[in-house]
């Protein structure tokens, strides 16, 4: 095979891989309520409903961007499969809800925060759990960024977890 043919094939394969990577990332919108794959938040986005994962999901928060979810984020599907949520970047993610006793970030295979400001506010009436992982060996990993939780005063507050790793951030 001639060198120019090899060079062309390598360049063609590199182009296909670049296109596949770009296609795998989606821009988050106000109607993105079923998450799987990688999402970029580049501005201010508000989702006024519950969000469910249908696969492992990564949310990239651009500097100055804010993602607000006015509802719970569930890390599992109707079949009982549990998925991982990873949060990257330097923007802000606000999660609020009023599901009594269920937690606002709920039952992932893992929750990893690598950057950004993650604010969790539960305004339920009873047993407001900001993060409910419920299970054995389910990791919550804080590598960077800030995790802040707030609940109204008359509720109980706790993290139900099996393993928290603080490797950075606050």
């Amino acid at each position: 095979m001639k060198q120019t043919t090899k060079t062309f094939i390598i360049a063609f394969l590199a182009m296909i891989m670049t296109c596949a990577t770009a296609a795998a990332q989606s821009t988050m919108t106000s109607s993105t309520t079923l998450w799987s794959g990688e999402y970029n938040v580049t501005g201010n986005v508000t989702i006024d409903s519950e969000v469910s994962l249908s696969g492992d999901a990564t949310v990239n928060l651009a500097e100055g961007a804010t993602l607000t979810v006015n509802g719970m984020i569930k890390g599992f599907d109707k079949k009982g499969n549990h998925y991982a949520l990873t949060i990257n970047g330097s923007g802000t993610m606000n999660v609020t809800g009023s599901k009594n006793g269920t937690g606002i970030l709920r039952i992932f295979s893992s929750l990893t925060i690598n950057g950004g400001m993650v604010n969790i506010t539960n305004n339920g009436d009873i047993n407001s759990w900001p993060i409910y992982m419920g299970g054995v060996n389910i990791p919550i990993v804080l590598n960077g960024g800030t995790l802040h939780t707030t609940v109204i005063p008359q509720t109980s507050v706790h993290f139900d977890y099996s393993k928290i790793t603080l490797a950075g951030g606050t």
Side-chain angles (χ1 to χ4, degrees):
M1 188 180 282
K2 289 184 176 182
Q3 185 63 29
T4 55
T5 305
K6 287 181 186 178
T7 304
F8 173 77
I9 292 172
I10 292 171
F12 180 73
L13 291 174
M15 181 187 72
I16 289 173
M17 291 173 59
T18 302
C19 291
T21 301
Q25 296 180 354
S26 300
T27 300
M28 185 75 69
T29 69
S30 61
S31 61
T32 310
T33 59
L34 190 60
W35 296 358
S36 178
E38 191 165 356
Y39 298 91
N40 296 318
V41 181
T42 57
N44 295 329
V45 177
T46 299
I47 299 173
D48 282 323
S49 66
E50 180 176 284
V51 170
S52 295
L53 271 59
S54 61
D56 293 342
T58 299
V59 177
N60 300 311
L61 302 167
E63 185 174 348
T66 300
L67 171 62
T68 301
V69 177
N70 292 319
M72 174 175 31
I73 300 177
K74 294 190 316 187
F76 58 96
D77 63 18
K78 292 180 182 180
K79 295 177 184 176
N81 298 311
H82 297 259
Y83 302 107
L85 177 61
T86 302
I87 301 166
N88 299 319
S90 58
T92 301
M93 180 175 187
N94 300 311
V95 183
T96 65
S98 59
K99 297 277 188 180
N100 294 340
T102 61
I104 296 304
L105 297 182
R106 181 159 192 204
I107 311 180
F108 299 90
S109 62
S110 67
L111 173 61
T112 303
I113 301 171
N114 294 319
M117 167 72 81
V118 179
N119 299 305
I120 304 169
T121 305
N122 193 342
N123 43 356
D125 296 330
I126 305 169
N127 295 327
S128 294
W129 303 347
I131 298 177
Y132 175 74
M133 296 302 273
V136 179
N137 297 321
I138 299 174
I140 300 172
V141 179
L142 184 61
N143 289 322
T146 300
L147 173 63
H148 183 254
T149 64
T150 305
V151 296
I152 58 175
Q154 64 265 35
T155 61
S156 65
V157 181
H158 69 276
F159 291 80
D160 185 354
Y161 60 86
S162 58
K163 182 180 177 184
I164 290 183
T165 301
L166 299 173
T170 55

